[in-house]
Amino acid sequence: MQDSKGFLPFRKAAVLGAGVMGAQIAAHLANAGVSVLLLDIPAKEGPKNSIVGGAFKKTLKMKPAPFANKAASKRITLGNFDDDLEKLADAEWVIEVVIENLKIKQDLMSKLEKVVNPDAIVTSNTSGLPIHKITSGRSAQFKKQFMGTHFFNPPRYLKLLEIIPTPDTDPAALERIKWFGRVHLGKSIVIAKDTPNFIANRVGNYASLQAFRWFTERGYTIEEVDTLSGPLIGHAKSATFRTADVVGLDTLLYVADNLYEAIPDDESREAHKAPEFLRELVDKGRLGAKVKKGFYTKVGRDILSINPETFEYEPPKEMNIGDIKAIKKAGGLVNRLKALYADEGRAGAFFRESTLDLIGYCVRRVPEIADKPADIDNAICWGFGWEMGPFHVWDALGFQNVLNDLREANIELPAWIDQMVKDDATAFYQEKNGQLQSYQPGTGYVDEAVFTDQISLKTVKETAGNTLIERKEAALLDLGDGVALYEFRSKSNALGHDVVEGIFEAIDYVENNNFHGLVIGNEGRNFTVGANLGEVAMALVEGKWDLIDGATSRFQEMIKRVRYARKPVVTAIQGMALGGGCEISLASAVTVAAFESYVGLVELGAGLIPGGGGCVSFAARAGEQAPTDFVSDHQPFMLDAFQTIATARVSTSAREAVDLGLLKPNTRIAMHADRRIHMAKEEVLRLSNQGYMPPPQRSNILVLGQPGFAAMKTMAYQLAQAGYASEYDAYLGEQLAYILCGGDLTAASEVDEEYLFDLERQVFIGLLKQKKTQERIESILKTNKPLRN
């Protein structure tokens, strides 16, 4: 068991080097609430801070955004190595991210030792240099506080943080960085050995270059390789060649060349040698996405790929890899992998041979780069977004089956595999008494880390008696300690009839039994994408308007049931929380949101308005924000609310969602998404132990009447005139304004929430009868894309 007892969070940090990685690491530290000093070399001409200032400005414009919100960017102070090095005395964590040159890093460490606090932790973000050599010549005290911390690009979004301690690193310093990285930066930690490129990049470089060779040497097209190395096998959507373009072909070449020189004893060293074709592309300036030409380029709406013989870009050729649709229909990831592995065509040959080759390479890297296979799996999955690592895949395909194929293919295997067989170990992973274990050569099965602040719903569901209620598309689970959890299980966690009715049932159960309260959450990629539009569309086709009206009313009643429950209801959200998902969060006592939560009232994209209390919540919040009851003080906040909903604004983080009013000010943010359900459970217990009382009904909501409606109508018109909205969007904006301003009221007035709920429902039903709204719903269901009609 691992927990946070005894650790103190960092308040002040410094990042040395404001390049692409350094500036983004600084940004993410600021996201975590840390005050950051960002330094770089002084400019030779002009203001000394012009280099760091220019880098910082680029960071502000990057997509995806390194900063969670504007407030985070304000926590960074800029400086240069000449004037501001002494300010490092205040830093508790100093991260070096300067150029990959050992002498430059060593010289910088010499300067740091003279200015940093002896208790400060100093780390290097090098990706290729030996960590222990960077502190050569430094004191024993300095070396105790030093280690490698290898972030992955982009640092905000990729989960992996490889930490590389040296033999001199103080275990207490290591544990503090591990804890802070997980809890406050949201990272999943792998302890790596001080070997070239550590774990993920060592294996990732091998896998990428070997995949390239299927294109340059084996006759597969770029499109075929990307189809067979992307989501079909649980890898990132960008697959092989699109990923290369995003990373930059010059960067890939630089990494490959450096790694090749650094691993003279690697038996597969030649596989790390960059193909000449890659070198030629770089020489020709085809560097990837940053110059809009790499393996792919876009011409108009067409995506073209490079011809390796002519270096011209051509439309994709028809793929010759068999019936991929049949593979997709095999089911979940494990079933797809088994189907591909058994395929006798070109798709099967690619997957089988490349998988066996990669597994062989990874097996031979244990214990060189990692003591156990699980560390390689974790590094690859967290660093590159794979759903399963090489050893996960081996287990899924059958240990003995793959072992036989490895031997038949004459792939070199280390002696520890034979020992594993002698030990009667038939998988790399097993569960024993509910504890996940992994195989470690020389030791046998060892427990994988268990954190006291993480709850696995899979484990909860597997424990007898923990399923209190099971429905078609949802379930009520017992989390222990008198806290229940309501889990969505519908497709995309959509809020259909069964899920909505289940919320009533769950709250009733908790109120009438010995529970402190309820968590609403799940372990899906997204909390929910909103209402089940399929159910809506079916009712529309059948003309069941009474059913639609009843369902809309029932949804609103569910929102009120969440808000006014006699015991606290806490939502635990992650990924997308759209439409009704946002409305449920706004109704709950507290929301615990994963840092990467993308929240929005997006109904206008479907030709609708928020019909489940979203408008009510925003109208009430405007009144809470206004400094006085004067209409003039109230109007700016109401106009902000209108703009957020009318533009279907979706937050880029949980922090921005709070800023926009899409989440309540008391929202708790889980930097590491896996902690959110535990945190939500703790919130239920806290609220209950304090003596929970539901909020009073909102009876004095100030609405602006016709003057406010006129102002909002003008905003909608201006958006349409500027090309940001269609004519129908402007009409939808007017309908939204009608609700927010209190309908037909001629002047500013106070209304109760039931009045606004009724307006929401009336407008919502009226829009469903509009042809253009029905066209938008049909487009979303057929293409998964909104229609701008």
Side-chain angles (χ1 to χ4, degrees):
M1 293 285 183
Q2 300 188 25
D3 57 31
S4 60
K5 291 178 181 177
F7 296 117
L8 296 175
F10 298 108
R11 298 292 301 276
K12 295 182 179 180
V15 176
L16 311 182
V20 172
M21 280 299 291
Q24 290 189 85
I25 291 171
H28 197 49
L29 287 167
N31 289 336
V34 180
S35 296
V36 185
L37 177 64
L38 177 61
L39 304 183
D40 210 314
I41 58 174
K44 294 180 180 179
E45 298 179 358
K48 281 191 173 183
N49 282 352
S50 60
I51 291 176
V52 68
F56 181 70
K57 287 179 181 178
K58 288 182 181 178
T59 307
L60 292 173
K61 297 177 182 178
M62 279 184 177
K63 299 293 182 183
F67 290 105
N69 58 1
K70 290 181 180 179
S73 66
K74 305 297 183 184
R75 284 190 278 272
I76 294 186
T77 302
L78 308 181
N80 65 80
F81 293 152
D82 277 2
D83 299 334
D84 303 299
L85 214 56
E86 291 185 358
K87 294 178 181 178
L88 297 180
D90 295 329
E92 300 166 274
W93 182 10
V94 179
I95 307 175
E96 171 271 305
V97 202
V98 300
I99 189 171
E100 289 288 270
N101 180 294
L102 182 59
K103 178 67 166 57
I104 290 174
K105 290 180 185 287
Q106 289 175 335
D107 289 346
L108 181 57
M109 292 299 151
S110 176
K111 295 177 181 177
L112 292 184
E113 187 168 18
K114 298 173 184 176
V115 295
V116 299
N117 188 305
D119 294 327
I121 296 175
V122 179
T123 69
S124 173
N125 189 62
T126 181
S127 58
L129 296 174
I131 295 294
H132 68 280
K133 289 185 178 181
I134 293 174
T135 53
S136 177
R138 305 280 60 78
S139 68
Q141 173 61 29
F142 189 87
K143 291 179 179 179
K144 277 179 59 179
Q145 299 296 100
F146 179 80
M147 68 196 83
T149 47
H150 184 213
F151 291 83
F152 276 65
N153 191 19
R156 170 182 163 182
Y157 296 95
L158 290 185
K159 289 178 65 174
L160 178 63
L161 174 60
E162 291 178 318
I163 301 180
I164 310 95
T166 75
D168 299 310
T169 301
D170 184 348
L174 173 62
E175 290 302 315
R176 188 180 182 193
I177 292 291
K178 284 171 59 179
W179 170 77
F180 189 85
R182 186 179 70 87
V183 172
H184 291 282
L185 298 181
K187 298 303 171 189
S188 294
I189 310 296
V190 172
I191 302 300
K193 295 187 176 184
D194 193 2
T195 56
N197 283 46
F198 314 126
I199 300 176
N201 279 347
R202 180 78 170 270
V203 174
N205 184 72
Y206 181 90
S208 294
L209 295 184
Q210 289 295 74
F212 286 177
R213 292 184 174 94
W214 286 86
F215 168 58
T216 59
E217 300 174 13
R218 300 289 297 272
Y220 284 67
T221 67
I222 284 177
E223 290 79 10
E224 287 173 336
V225 172
D226 271 358
T227 298
L228 296 171
S229 60
L232 184 69
I233 62 169
H235 291 190
K237 187 178 180 180
S238 53
T240 298
F241 290 103
R242 290 189 192 280
T243 297
D245 277 353
V246 170
V247 170
L249 305 194
D250 52 339
T251 300
L252 286 177
L253 183 60
Y254 175 83
V255 170
D257 285 348
N258 282 350
L259 182 57
Y260 181 80
E261 293 300 322
I263 51 171
D265 298 325
D266 188 321
E267 81 293 326
S268 302
R269 185 190 187 203
E270 291 307 307
H272 285 282
K273 194 169 187 177
E276 282 305 310
F277 179 66
L278 176 61
R279 200 173 301 279
E280 289 183 62
L281 281 174
V282 173
D283 289 343
K284 292 178 182 292
R286 313 280 184 86
L287 306 182
K290 55 190 167 187
V291 297
K292 300 183 179 180
K293 284 187 177 183
F295 288 110
Y296 290 101
T297 193
K298 189 174 183 180
V299 178
R301 294 186 176 182
D302 297 324
I303 304 294
L304 311 182
S305 58
I306 195 101
N307 182 316
E309 297 177 359
T310 66
F311 283 86
E312 298 295 328
Y313 291 97
E314 301 174 349
K317 299 176 182 177
E318 184 177 351
M319 291 194 291
N320 179 28
I321 49 177
D323 188 359
I324 293 300
K325 288 184 178 179
I327 301 293
K328 291 179 179 179
K329 290 179 180 179
L333 178 56
V334 170
N335 287 336
R336 296 199 304 272
L337 297 182
K338 288 180 177 179
L340 265 176
Y341 197 77
D343 181 76
E344 296 181 356
R346 293 177 79 242
F350 174 93
F351 176 70
R352 206 164 35 250
E353 291 182 42
S354 60
T355 297
L356 292 173
D357 176 62
L358 181 61
I359 285 174
Y361 185 73
C362 290
V363 168
R364 297 192 297 273
R365 299 284 69 76
V366 178
E368 178 200 347
I369 66 173
D371 286 329
K372 57 182 181 177
D375 287 338
I376 293 179
D377 277 349
N378 288 336
I380 287 293
C381 290
W382 295 335
F384 298 113
W386 293 13
E387 293 182 45
M388 298 175 71
F391 296 98
H392 294 134
V393 172
W394 188 339
D395 275 2
L397 296 176
F399 179 82
Q400 192 61 50
N401 182 38
V402 171
L403 181 59
N404 292 341
D405 291 342
L406 287 165
R407 288 170 171 164
E408 187 175 334
N410 293 317
I411 292 175
E412 180 184 350
L413 300 175
W416 67 263
I417 288 293
D418 292 330
Q419 185 60 50
M420 188 177 174
V421 174
K422 290 179 183 178
D423 292 341
D424 293 324
T426 57
F428 291 98
Y429 298 92
Q430 68 174 21
E431 279 198 18
K432 187 175 182 180
N433 299 324
Q435 167 67 52
L436 179 65
Q437 297 182 325
S438 70
Y439 186 83
Q440 180 170 327
T443 303
Y445 287 103
V446 296
D447 290 347
E448 287 296 287
V450 175
F451 297 99
T452 58
D453 60 357
Q454 292 181 195
I455 294 175
S456 166
L457 293 188
K458 178 176 180 291
T459 302
V460 171
K461 287 180 278 192
E462 289 174 349
T463 304
N466 278 349
T467 300
L468 305 172
I469 297 172
E470 191 151 21
R471 301 178 62 92
K472 181 181 178 181
E473 294 187 334
L476 184 66
L477 308 175
D478 188 346
L479 293 182
D481 300 317
V483 179
L485 178 135
Y486 183 69
E487 179 190 34
F488 306 157
R489 295 180 179 178
S490 53
K491 184 179 180 181
S492 301
N493 290 328
L495 302 173
H497 172 77
D498 189 71
V499 172
V500 170
E501 290 302 314
I503 292 177
F504 284 102
E505 186 178 20
I507 295 174
D508 287 345
Y509 188 96
V510 166
E511 286 185 340
N512 293 309
N513 289 280
N514 191 26
F515 283 87
H516 290 286
L518 176 70
V519 174
I520 298 178
N522 57 68
E523 289 184 324
R525 179 173 295 178
N526 300 308
F527 176 64
T528 175
V529 296
N532 186 331
L533 287 179
E535 288 184 355
V536 176
M538 185 174 296
L540 284 174
V541 170
E542 296 174 356
K544 295 182 177 179
W545 292 105
D546 288 343
L547 176 63
I548 293 172
D549 185 71
T552 306
S553 179
R554 189 66 170 161
F555 192 95
Q556 290 183 336
E557 290 303 314
M558 177 270 290
I559 292 295
K560 286 180 271 188
R561 188 73 178 96
V562 169
R563 179 175 171 82
Y564 298 117
R566 302 296 181 93
K567 293 182 178 179
V569 177
V570 175
T571 44
I573 71 171
Q574 75 288 343
M576 289 190 288
L578 305 179
C582 174
E583 290 169 321
I584 291 173
S585 296
L586 289 170
S588 63
V590 173
T591 293
V592 175
F595 179 72
E596 297 301 341
S597 292
Y598 313 115
V599 188
L601 294 170
V602 297
E603 285 84 353
L604 269 78
L608 297 165
I609 51 89
C615 299
V616 181
S617 293
F618 266 72
R621 180 176 181 268
E624 294 165 1
Q625 290 177 298
T628 74
D629 291 334
F630 291 115
V631 173
S632 58
D633 286 336
H634 187 93
Q635 181 164 313
F637 297 101
M638 189 64 86
L639 292 177
D640 285 345
F642 171 78
Q643 187 170 18
T644 297
I645 302 174
T647 56
R649 181 84 177 268
V650 176
S651 72
T652 59
S653 70
R655 294 202 192 282
E656 187 180 57
V658 174
D659 294 343
L660 293 171
L662 294 163
L663 291 176
K664 296 197 296 189
N666 68 346
T667 296
R668 297 286 308 283
I669 295 181
M671 294 297 288
H672 198 300
D674 292 349
R675 300 182 67 236
R676 69 187 182 281
I677 292 175
H678 167 82
M679 289 173 62
K681 177 182 175 182
E682 292 296 306
E683 283 298 302
V684 168
L685 294 172
R686 177 184 67 82
L687 291 167
S688 177
N689 291 333
Q690 288 177 351
Y692 181 72
M693 174 70 78
Q697 291 197 344
R698 295 168 288 199
S699 58
N700 302 106
I701 302 173
L702 181 64
V703 293
L704 301 178
Q706 285 301 309
F709 177 78
M712 292 181 189
K713 185 176 179 179
T714 299
M715 285 183 68
Y717 174 78
Q718 290 172 341
L719 286 170
Q721 289 299 301
Y724 296 114
S726 69
E727 184 178 335
Y728 193 59
D729 289 326
Y731 169 75
L732 295 170
E734 291 180 21
Q735 298 300 300
L736 171 63
Y738 180 78
I739 300 167
L740 293 175
C741 295
D744 294 323
L745 296 174
T746 56
S749 306
E750 288 188 345
V751 299
D752 62 24
E753 64 177 33
E754 287 302 326
Y755 179 86
L756 291 178
F757 270 114
D758 288 343
L759 282 178
E760 267 193 350
R761 187 172 65 256
Q762 292 166 18
V763 173
F764 186 87
I765 299 299
L767 289 173
L768 280 172
K769 296 178 180 179
Q770 298 288 327
K771 181 181 179 183
K772 288 190 175 182
T773 289
Q774 294 174 8
E775 289 172 349
R776 289 191 177 196
I777 293 173
E778 182 181 10
S779 173
I780 291 171
L781 291 173
K782 286 185 176 180
T783 68
N784 202 30
K785 295 179 181 179
L787 174 68
R788 181 59 61 83
N789 56 357

